[in-house]
Amino acid sequence: MKQKETMSSTPHKQNQKDIDDIGDDHITSNIYDTPLRPDAFEMDDETKMEKIEEHFREIMHIMGLDLNDDSLNGTPRRVAKMYVKELFSGLNPKNLPSLTHFKNHYKYKEMLVERDIMFHSNCEHHFVPIVGKAHVAYIANGHVIGLSKLHRIVNHFARRPQVQERMTIQIGEALKTVLGTPSVAVILDADHMCVSSRGINDQTSSTVTSYYGGEFEKSETRSEFVKMVGLRQGLLKY
């Protein structure tokens, strides 16, 4: 019996050691899709909120917080609702915005850029905020979509535990699919609270990622996009 107990605890201890050794050098094996179990949406939202509320109440209790206090008593329910209905609503594919497009009646063949799209996400490694701006562009191939849809696409993929590299790819791939063109570009410029509020505590850096497809793989087209975005270094971003 003693041997079995030792064996069962070993993988957990090894996992803890691996996490400690890796530290902030996080590695993911899933580049394109947010890691989800096959049964991720078998449970309805209300049941999820009830379970999250129960567990978060236990977390607060372990931390020593007085849940009888008027200010804290409703916090577990508020957090549960925030997780399911707001911060991580983008996990559910049913919440993907309608991405209907219409014909390019204006015969506009140049680059269309929507810059400074504000987004809020959460780092999947520490569940703390990622706050940034997205700059997206495409060159129409017969169809266009409303400008607000570009914002909704960015927001949808932000509303889940994220890695910025993956989010950049997801936005680019979604735009390619709905527009029927490979000529899509995405730049994300974001501040990560896991860098600024913990760990290295760097308050000044930001993380920039990019995605280029089709015509944007040409250096001159890509340069035009970057110039139009006009990343304003040294100025207040948000």
Side-chain angles (χ1 to χ4, degrees), residues 160-187:
R160 58 180 67 184
Q162 268 296 12
V163 175
Q164 186 171 325
E165 296 92 327
R166 183 195 297 134
M167 180 177 165
T168 309
I169 294 169
Q170 288 174 332
I171 293 169
E173 289 296 317
L175 287 172
K176 280 174 57 176
T177 299
V178 69
L179 290 166
T181 175
S183 298
V184 167
V186 180
I187 289 178

Side-chain angles (χ1 to χ4, degrees), residues 10 25 30 42 58 70 94-95 107 111 122-123 133 135 144 168 175 184 203 238:
T10 300
D25 297 326
N30 201 334
E42 291 181 5
E58 180 63 17
D70 290 343
K94 290 183 179 179
N95 294 327
K107 307 298 181 184
M111 187 187 310
N122 279 268
C123 164
K133 288 183 177 179
H135 315 282
V144 295
T168 309
L175 287 172
V184 167
Q203 306 292 326
Y238 312 122

Side-chain angles (χ1 to χ4, degrees), residues 8-52:
S8 64
S9 64
T10 300
H12 174 71
K13 289 181 179 179
Q14 183 61 45
N15 187 49
Q16 286 296 114
K17 184 180 184 303
D18 291 343
I19 292 172
D20 291 339
D21 289 344
I22 291 172
D24 288 338
D25 297 326
H26 309 296
I27 301 170
T28 179
S29 59
N30 201 334
I31 301 299
Y32 299 103
D33 301 315
T34 300
L36 288 169
R37 299 196 320 272
D39 64 345
F41 306 108
E42 291 181 5
M43 191 183 300
D44 63 82
D45 285 356
E46 186 57 41
T47 304
K48 286 184 178 181
M49 288 190 290
E50 289 175 1
K51 289 183 175 294
I52 292 172

Side-chain angles (χ1 to χ4, degrees), residues 30-177:
N30 201 334
I31 301 299
Y32 299 103
D33 301 315
T34 300
L36 288 169
R37 299 196 320 272
D39 64 345
F41 306 108
E42 291 181 5
M43 191 183 300
D44 63 82
D45 285 356
E46 186 57 41
T47 304
K48 286 184 178 181
M49 288 190 290
E50 289 175 1
K51 289 183 175 294
I52 292 172
E53 178 183 359
E54 176 185 345
H55 289 297
F56 200 80
R57 185 175 296 277
E58 180 63 17
I59 290 172
M60 294 177 68
H61 176 74
I62 292 170
M63 292 173 64
L65 296 169
D66 182 5
L67 286 158
N68 293 315
D69 185 271
D70 290 343
S71 179
L72 297 178
N73 185 260
T75 298
R77 180 64 180 180
R78 286 190 289 267
V79 170
K81 184 178 180 181
M82 176 181 68
Y83 275 10
V84 175
K85 296 294 187 180
E86 298 173 353
L87 296 187
F88 305 132
S89 61
L91 286 172
N92 194 333
K94 290 183 179 179
N95 294 327
L96 181 70
S98 174
L99 301 178
T100 54
H101 52 68
F102 49 91
K103 289 185 177 181
N104 182 13
H105 294 295
Y106 303 107
K107 307 298 181 184
Y108 185 73
K109 298 180 180 179
E110 302 301 320
M111 187 187 310
L112 185 146
V113 179
E114 187 76 358
R115 70 181 193 181
D116 296 336
I117 301 174
M118 190 79 180
F119 69 85
H120 292 81
S121 189
N122 279 268
C123 164
E124 71 178 35
H125 302 129
H126 297 96
F127 272 49
V128 292
I130 300 171
V131 181
K133 288 183 177 179
H135 315 282
V136 300
Y138 69 91
I139 299 173
N141 184 21
H143 294 91
V144 295
I145 57 175
L147 297 180
S148 66
K149 293 295 191 293
L150 299 176
H151 290 251
R152 293 182 189 279
I153 290 171
V154 170
N155 186 65
H156 175 74
F157 289 107
R159 296 291 181 170
R160 58 180 67 184
Q162 268 296 12
V163 175
Q164 186 171 325
E165 296 92 327
R166 183 195 297 134
M167 180 177 165
T168 309
I169 294 169
Q170 288 174 332
I171 293 169
E173 289 296 317
L175 287 172
K176 280 174 57 176
T177 299

